[in-house]
Amino acid sequence: MGEERRSLKELLGSQQCQTQHHTTHHHTRDNKTLDLFDANTKEAYHSLPLPPLGRADHNLVHLQPVYKPLVQRQPAVTRTVKKWSEEAQEALKDCFNTILWDVFSDTHGEDIDNLTNCITDYINFCVENTVPTRTVRSFPNSKPWITPDIKALLKEKKRAFVSGDKEELKTVQRELRRKIRQEKDNYRRQMENQLQELNSYRPVALTSHLMKTLERLILAHLHPLVSSFMDSLQFAYQPSIGVDDAVIYLLHTSLTHLEKAGSTVRIMFFDFSSAFNTIQPRLLGDKLEVAGVDHHLTTWILDYLTQRPQFVRVKGSESSDDSAAVGLITDGDDTEYRGLIQDFVDWSLRNNLQINAGKTKELVVDFRRRNNPPPAAVNILGTDVDVVESYKYLGVHLNNNLDWTHNTDTLVKKGNSRLFLLRRLRSFGVQGPLLRTFYDSVVGSAIFYGFVCWSSSITDRDRKRMDRLVRRASSVLGCPLDSVEVVGNGRMMAKLSSMLNNMSHPLQDTLTALGSSFSERLLHPRCVKERYRRSFLLAAVRLHNKHNTR
């Protein structure tokens, strides 16, 4: 026992020797030093005296580490900005009113590109000569509401603290608190005004508004001509059909086939390298002529695609057009599935589409109880396609169990990160309808993405996780939000109604066959396995019949 006490004493003594005691040399209350700081590293900090925080009776002692943080090591950025004012705007208007714009058109004639560049350069020249500029220094840790007035008050506070005049220090502190509240409020109103001026919360600026309008005009003429040549399973660029319908159809086809004994499903997700850059206008022209498009319109489209100076440039990851092939395998016979894959590869090569076999993935769904060997890999262009357990298809995470746990994990993680933005926005004083709009467009759109595909088939545990996320968002907003079940039922009814009213929907025949000749109710599809009973179609039919019964 004596040796144990001696070893413990020696251990404590050695740890005390490792701890360096740093006594502050600054008065923290009147002329007394009441605080002591201990650190285990010698000369790791140096102290600086500061004024008291708020109405505290103790002065602050700022213990600053010798190590300089990365934010402080970054240099200040000096920028030159335009100082816009009413006088500058009036001066710029007068400058534009005195310009003879006909001179530009007379010089360039019908050369629209050179005319646009010339006018743009001259407008920039007028702005540079009319609007005054000023140099601004911004620091990495600068707050957006810090203004020159606040900086002047901070300097005044330090001067009053150094002088020792307590009354003047209190006066400056009150004025500083008032000014900070005022500037924060101004910054909040500025953010609200900027958000209210936006018509869309998804800024897509790759194409000008004039070109988007022109594309819609051409589409109105092309769509009736080529609609009969379009694949019945094409979900893109179809009215009232989108991502949700593609995922619902894929899952419905897979679950219906898995009802049969000894059945499996293999899904091939293709990836194309720079799909938009490899399109050949000549091939498109041949297809338009076969579709019966007017020759002059076809010539104009080809001229637009070949003579334009801009091209689509893909940065980062390669692009993909989200094509998928579903193979319904019975008793291990995948001959038809492999033939379908080869036909699609041959069609891609004929149309100059480059399949990226390394990024093409396959998902195998096999619920058979007996141990079966894994299927042989599919070879595309000399490369065996990897079989994965999960894949992100059209923004929705699918796995080989056809459950939604992985998808829920991703949505909860994304929702929590975006809730942080919602809390930060509320800390700036934003509230009411504007905060709710931010939730709907940024937070709600993320956590409820593809909701009709998985709302009816998630587990109770995952549903509770989503409900907790919604309740946290509700507490931030200060108003109640609908639960996951309520939102899911509403969207399922809306999607089912859209399917019933759309004659070109791929599931239209399936829904028509479920119609009852005696009432407006829909007949329940026959199903055996529990996983199919939780599908969208079954849940939507039950909900539809429940509402019609009422």
Side-chain angles (χ1 to χ4, degrees), residues 252-278:
H252 173 75
T253 306
S254 302
L255 291 172
T256 303
H257 178 72
L258 291 172
E259 286 282 300
K260 304 175 183 177
S263 60
T264 58
V265 173
R266 301 178 67 175
I267 309 173
M268 185 72 67
F269 300 99
F270 293 95
D271 184 275
F272 293 91
S273 300
S274 303
F276 294 101
N277 290 347
T278 58

Side-chain angles (χ1 to χ4, degrees), residues 138-163:
S138 59
F139 298 88
N141 57 346
S142 295
K143 300 297 187 295
W145 55 80
I146 298 297
T147 61
D149 295 337
I150 294 180
K151 293 180 180 179
L153 287 173
L154 288 172
K155 293 180 180 179
E156 187 68 18
K157 178 182 177 180
K158 292 181 180 179
R159 188 197 61 79
F161 172 72
V162 173
S163 65

Side-chain angles (χ1 to χ4, degrees), residues 135-390:
T135 303
V136 179
R137 295 185 65 198
S138 59
F139 298 88
N141 57 346
S142 295
K143 300 297 187 295
W145 55 80
I146 298 297
T147 61
D149 295 337
I150 294 180
K151 293 180 180 179
L153 287 173
L154 288 172
K155 293 180 180 179
E156 187 68 18
K157 178 182 177 180
K158 292 181 180 179
R159 188 197 61 79
F161 172 72
V162 173
S163 65
D165 191 342
K166 295 185 178 180
E167 294 299 328
E168 183 181 4
L169 180 60
K170 291 181 180 179
T171 304
V172 175
Q173 285 179 327
R174 285 195 298 268
E175 179 63 20
L176 180 60
R177 288 194 296 268
R178 185 194 66 81
K179 193 64 178 178
I180 290 178
R181 286 195 302 268
Q182 179 183 349
E183 294 301 334
K184 282 187 176 181
D185 190 59
N186 293 337
Y187 180 71
R188 175 184 60 81
R189 287 197 296 267
Q190 181 182 359
M191 290 184 58
E192 291 179 353
N193 294 334
Q194 291 178 355
L195 290 176
Q196 289 175 355
E197 293 174 358
L198 298 176
N199 294 326
S200 175
Y201 292 92
R202 296 183 62 192
V204 179
L206 296 178
T207 309
S208 65
H209 293 288
L210 181 61
M211 185 55 61
K212 291 178 181 178
T213 305
L214 183 60
E215 289 176 352
R216 288 182 177 273
L217 293 175
I218 298 177
L219 181 61
H221 293 279
L222 287 179
H223 192 272
L225 298 174
V226 301
S227 58
S228 59
F229 296 90
M230 297 176 65
D231 194 304
S232 59
L233 296 181
Q234 177 171 332
F235 296 88
Y237 309 109
Q238 294 278 37
S240 303
I241 299 178
V243 170
D244 297 337
D245 302 272
V247 178
I248 289 173
Y249 182 82
L250 186 149
L251 293 176
H252 173 75
T253 306
S254 302
L255 291 172
T256 303
H257 178 72
L258 291 172
E259 286 282 300
K260 304 175 183 177
S263 60
T264 58
V265 173
R266 301 178 67 175
I267 309 173
M268 185 72 67
F269 300 99
F270 293 95
D271 184 275
F272 293 91
S273 300
S274 303
F276 294 101
N277 290 347
T278 58
I279 295 176
Q280 294 293 323
R282 177 183 55 81
L283 299 175
L284 179 61
D286 296 340
K287 295 179 183 296
L288 293 177
E289 290 182 359
V290 173
V293 179
D294 182 73
H295 178 71
H296 296 288
L297 181 58
T298 303
T299 304
W300 184 90
I301 293 175
L302 295 180
D303 181 73
Y304 168 75
L305 293 176
T306 55
Q307 301 299 329
R308 61 184 304 183
Q310 298 97 357
F311 297 92
V312 177
R313 302 188 184 275
V314 181
K315 298 180 180 180
S317 60
E318 298 292 338
S319 62
S320 170
D321 70 345
D322 300 311
S323 297
V326 181
L328 308 179
I329 314 299
T330 303
D331 296 330
D333 186 7
D334 59 357
T335 305
E336 183 179 359
Y337 170 68
R338 293 180 180 273
L340 173 65
I341 299 299
Q342 187 60 45
D343 292 341
F344 185 81
V345 173
D346 296 338
W347 176 88
S348 301
L349 295 176
R350 289 195 303 269
N351 290 272
N352 205 40
L353 293 175
Q354 303 173 5
I355 296 180
N356 190 340
K359 292 186 177 181
T360 298
K361 305 298 179 182
E362 185 182 26
L363 194 69
V364 179
V365 184
D366 188 358
F367 294 129
R368 292 177 294 178
R369 294 184 178 180
R370 62 180 181 273
N371 295 328
N372 294 282
V378 177
N379 189 281
I380 295 180
L381 302 177
T383 303
D384 290 341
V385 178
D386 294 334
V387 178
V388 295
E389 295 182 357
S390 63

Side-chain angles (χ1 to χ4, degrees), residues 75-188:
V77 179
T78 303
R79 297 180 292 109
T80 302
V81 297
K82 297 292 183 182
K83 191 175 181 180
W84 288 97
S85 61
E86 294 183 0
E87 293 79 6
Q89 293 179 4
E90 292 297 330
L92 188 59
K93 289 180 181 178
D94 294 339
C95 180
F96 289 158
N97 291 331
T98 57
I99 295 175
L100 299 177
W101 298 100
D102 295 336
V103 176
F104 297 99
S105 59
D106 295 340
T107 304
H108 297 280
E110 297 182 356
D111 192 349
I112 298 179
D113 293 333
N114 290 334
L115 177 61
T116 303
N117 295 333
C118 182
I119 293 178
T120 303
D121 293 339
Y122 190 78
I123 291 176
N124 294 331
F125 172 77
C126 294
V127 172
E128 292 177 359
N129 293 334
T130 305
V131 182
T133 60
R134 64 188 180 112
T135 303
V136 179
R137 295 185 65 198
S138 59
F139 298 88
N141 57 346
S142 295
K143 300 297 187 295
W145 55 80
I146 298 297
T147 61
D149 295 337
I150 294 180
K151 293 180 180 179
L153 287 173
L154 288 172
K155 293 180 180 179
E156 187 68 18
K157 178 182 177 180
K158 292 181 180 179
R159 188 197 61 79
F161 172 72
V162 173
S163 65
D165 191 342
K166 295 185 178 180
E167 294 299 328
E168 183 181 4
L169 180 60
K170 291 181 180 179
T171 304
V172 175
Q173 285 179 327
R174 285 195 298 268
E175 179 63 20
L176 180 60
R177 288 194 296 268
R178 185 194 66 81
K179 193 64 178 178
I180 290 178
R181 286 195 302 268
Q182 179 183 349
E183 294 301 334
K184 282 187 176 181
D185 190 59
N186 293 337
Y187 180 71
R188 175 184 60 81

